Amino acid sequence: MTVEKHLEASCLKLALERRHHRVLTDISCSFKPFELTAVVGPNGAGKSSLLQCLAGVLAPTVGHIELNGEAVEQISAAERARRSAYLPQSETPAWSLSSADLVALGLLPWGRPADRERRVAAALQLVDAQQFAHRPVTQLSGGELRRVQLARLLVGEAPLLIADEPTAALDIRHQLQLMQNFRRQADAGKTVVLALHDLSLAARYCDRILLLHDGHLRAQGTPEDVFTPALVGDVYGVSCEFRWRDGVADFVPLDLL
Amino acid sequence: MLKPGKFVLAMLFAALPLALIAALVSGPVPVDLGAALSQGWHSDSSDAVILWQLRLPRALLAILVGAALGMGGAAMQGMLRNPLAEPALLGVSSGAALAAILLLYYGLAWLSGWLLPALAIFGAFCAVACVWMLAGRGASASRLVLAGVAINAFLSALMALALNYAPSMFAMQEIVFWLLGSLANRGWDQLLLAVPFILFGGVLLYCARNYLRALSLGEDSAASLGFRGRRYPLMVLLGIASAVGAAVAVAGTIGFVGLVVPHLMRPLVKQDPGRLLWSSALAGALLLLLADILVINFVGAQELRIGAVTAFIGAPFFFWLIVSARRGQQL
């Protein structure tokens, strides 16, 4: 089982059409190891679609995606699954599996590794969910289920982690814990891409921000570069300010524009 | 110490050979099982003929058909992520049934013991191919079901038409009895015809077990886990068409096994759609064998049809399901 530890992902001139509606237009961006990237933008900006293209769930209409310089079309589906792990915005388990069994599904691309149980336990520990390892997932609250699903994302060895609004449904403690987790994953050399709505969390934990608007990439760069009241105000249609204190940003929306 | 789920599975496994022996001693004529067995396949004694040419193929067919129906149901529920799905949803049964009915309608079934089941398997494949093409590229589960309902409705209309214009009362009776499902008067011919298809279907479904597991997270997550494209759904559909199509072809339409058995087995395998496949095959085999023993031992003017027996098992099961759902349990 050889897995590349580091992985660079690039989207080149990506466009996506669904039912004659342009969801993404001309997006070029790349994601590097050791980097935690947040994809932000208003509802319907195309965040989820971009993440789905990157994860191989959707195929872009135009343009292509490369993993470590290799076009994804050249990579088998199984190999691609070993390179990137993805958590969709909403994932409803069909059966009442136990939390531990649901997490173990994240190891499917690697067959049945011998240390499966240890890895599952470790992943559950990461998201503070070891206490309901044996509870059926249908008996968990929304936030608890989300944490178990995050453990499913983290249990494998994929060097590229993609999560769509992972902090939604989580309480503030687990939001912070989760972002710290993703930060640690990035510091360990993984490439992490998250879609986020909370701009304060994005500014505080992420190295890079992609700001999407109407399927277009409006800006990309460090949080300081992207999160300016003028740019964010224009994209979201609100007046706002960012209060920076020791590298921690406070995003304060003021009023509708 | 075995866990409760594994213990029940082990019991089911142990019950199967016992049920097989029970099936071999069941029948209107008492047979000395030990003597008949030792006399062997080629013996001309009546006991040996009854055992080797009548009871053994019938019992093995019950096991095979039950296993195919159970496994097909488990695969169907796994693929559609729906505990109420059954193989018939895809038109497998009605495709096979229509082909068989047309043959009975034109009175051609007697030409060869092979003709009817072979044509019925062909019918099953045609129906599933129609559903697959109607659902179109990248079809979601709900679109597959919709296509299945459409094809099923059309095939049922054709079957009703065939019944309506049945050339004789005799043909009509034959059609109705075939639709009720039966294992009576089936021999090695039918068994040998069904075996390769059911085995092939079983192998396909077994190969798709990880796809079914990944699907418990949803189609997007399954795609991100490496189960992308049309290959895996096609594998499951082909597997169901082959296994269930062959089962229906030799035994007629036997309802409820594919629906009820996976439901009963799911808690025993910790809801794992992968292990559900073989455990449903095991339980389906046992259920149909027991139902057939009941049929054999039922004394009446008319032969009791096994499809009627399974329907009687299926209906109370749903009552139980409703009662437990009302008590607030998970469906």
Side-chain angles (χ1 to χ4, degrees), chain A residues 15-85:
Chain A
L16 181 69
E17 249 179 55
R18 297 187 92 179
R19 298 187 183 158
H20 309 293
H21 173 68
R22 275 240 141 156
V23 185
L24 295 174
T25 310
D26 224 7
I27 290 186
S28 295
C29 51
S30 64
F31 306 93
K32 295 188 179 63
F34 297 98
E35 239 181 27
L36 178 49
T37 306
V39 180
V40 300
N43 297 136
K47 302 185 292 294
S48 295
S49 302
L50 177 61
L51 260 48
Q52 284 175 324
C53 287
L54 197 60
V57 175
L58 289 179
T61 323
V62 187
H64 70 277
I65 296 170
E66 290 180 355
L67 299 180
N68 270 351
E70 213 177 333
V72 286
E73 293 79 22
Q74 313 293 323
I75 306 171
S76 73
E79 176 56 28
R80 193 170 175 186
R82 284 190 283 273
R83 293 190 192 182
S84 69

Side-chain angles (χ1 to χ4, degrees), chain B residues 243-287:
Chain B
V244 177
V248 175
V250 291
T253 48
I254 299 174
F256 291 102
V257 177
L259 182 57
V260 173
V261 164
H263 244 299
L264 291 174
M265 289 298 108
R266 197 165 280 120
L268 299 181
V269 293
K270 291 166 73 187
Q271 312 259 336
D272 175 2
R275 282 198 292 152
L276 187 64
L277 288 173
W278 69 259
S279 57
S280 295
L282 171 66
L286 188 62
L287 178 71

Side-chain angles (χ1 to χ4, degrees), chain B residues 110-270:
Chain B
W110 56 270
L111 287 176
S112 148
W114 291 67
L115 192 59
L116 190 145
L119 213 65
I121 292 174
F122 178 71
F125 275 107
C126 285
V128 172
C130 287
V131 168
W132 179 250
M133 285 190 288
L134 192 65
R137 213 173 214 317
S140 61
S142 54
R143 199 151 20 118
L144 268 177
V145 172
L146 207 60
V149 169
I151 295 292
N152 256 329
F154 180 62
L155 293 176
S156 304
L158 289 180
M159 279 193 259
L161 207 63
L163 267 176
N164 198 154
Y165 291 111
S168 65
M169 281 312 284
F170 182 67
M172 192 177 199
Q173 192 186 20
E174 245 190 323
I175 291 173
V176 171
F177 279 168
W178 194 86
L179 284 177
L180 283 176
S182 172
L183 292 166
N185 308 322
R186 307 297 198 272
W188 291 104
D189 275 0
Q190 284 88 352
L191 186 71
L192 290 179
L193 180 73
V195 162
F197 285 98
I198 290 178
L199 282 184
F200 174 67
V203 168
L204 274 184
L205 293 180
Y206 182 75
C207 291
R209 67 195 184 286
N210 279 339
Y211 166 64
L212 297 174
R213 286 191 174 121
L215 262 188
S216 34
L217 299 172
E219 286 174 26
D220 283 0
S221 301
S224 76
L225 286 170
F227 301 96
R228 255 185 303 136
R230 288 155 73 83
R231 194 174 82 188
Y232 291 98
L234 195 61
M235 230 156 101
V236 176
L237 284 196
L238 258 182
I240 292 175
S242 179
V244 177
V248 175
V250 291
T253 48
I254 299 174
F256 291 102
V257 177
L259 182 57
V260 173
V261 164
H263 244 299
L264 291 174
M265 289 298 108
R266 197 165 280 120
L268 299 181
V269 293
K270 291 166 73 187

Side-chain angles (χ1 to χ4, degrees), chain A residues 142-158:
Chain A
E144 289 169 340
L145 175 62
R146 200 63 183 154
R147 272 147 62 199
V148 169
Q149 291 169 338
L150 282 158
R152 197 270 292 165
L153 179 80
L154 298 174
V155 74
E157 294 172 7

Side-chain angles (χ1 to χ4, degrees), chain A residues 57 134 238 247:
Chain A
V57 175
H134 300 293
V238 292

